Amino acid sequence: MAGPTPLAAPAAPTQSGGELAAGLAAGDRSALVHLAEAWGPRIYRYLASRLADRELVRDLTQETLTRAVDAIRRGTRPRDLKAWLFRIATNLLRDELRSGYRNRVVLTEVPERGAGEDTEQKALDQMRQEAVRQAVLGLPPDLQEVLTLRFYEGFSVDEVAAITGLPVGTVKSRLYRAYRRLEEQLAPWRHQPRQGGNADGR
């Protein structure tokens, strides 16, 4: 089963992780601005894909960046800034889910198709999207975590492993389990014809 199509992410930062860390360690205000502008939207987008409360998402985004700055100023020098930042965010997210937030978890919806599309086809596509969303919501948090990072944030398997602190084999195993569950739950939609064609493809 092919994985979900990654959603478009905010533009990648232009400053290297080493340069940014050095600026933050030195108390350079421009480095703080760059961190907020370059990484804030990406962290926010990731957290918003799992949590419905946007105020909480903003708080966790700010907490992620604050913890990163504090750690760097205490001497931490991450080898991979991107994975490190997402690992901080992931740990905060895990804490929220363990605290009983699970019932309000949501997955960011796939953007709607263009307004010029046929109304009936658009309605069917939206139903498919909602079916996918509900199927993902039905996954256990550990499977949602790796699926979101891999296909909605576009990280490689190795990067997902670095972010989550899991062995690569465990990430692959969880992704496989997530695929199988989604494939089972979405099987009825595989036989739904698109407008202009029959179920047998004619």
Side-chain angles (χ1 to χ4, degrees), residues 20-35:
L20 181 56
L24 293 171
D28 185 350
R29 180 171 176 76
S30 65
L32 285 172
V33 172
H34 183 79
L35 177 71

Side-chain angles (χ1 to χ4, degrees), residues 84-145:
W84 183 64
L85 287 172
F86 272 80
R87 185 167 191 176
I88 294 173
T90 295
N91 287 336
L92 289 171
L93 177 59
R94 287 172 174 174
D95 289 342
E96 285 300 324
L97 298 182
R98 282 194 293 266
S99 72
Y101 195 86
R102 176 70 181 88
N103 291 334
R104 290 180 284 164
V105 174
V106 298
L107 182 74
T108 298
E109 295 185 10
V110 178
E112 293 185 359
R113 301 172 72 90
E117 298 253 355
D118 181 84
T119 302
E120 184 178 347
Q121 182 60 55
K122 183 176 179 180
L124 182 59
D125 288 344
Q126 289 175 338
M127 290 173 65
R128 285 194 178 98
Q129 292 167 10
E130 179 61 17
V132 171
R133 191 178 77 88
Q134 291 299 327
V136 174
L137 290 178
L139 295 174
D142 59 338
L143 302 189
Q144 280 192 44
E145 180 177 86

Side-chain angles (χ1 to χ4, degrees), residues 75-88:
T76 299
R77 294 295 182 270
R79 289 182 296 177
D80 185 336
L81 181 65
K82 177 173 67 172
W84 183 64
L85 287 172
F86 272 80
R87 185 167 191 176
I88 294 173

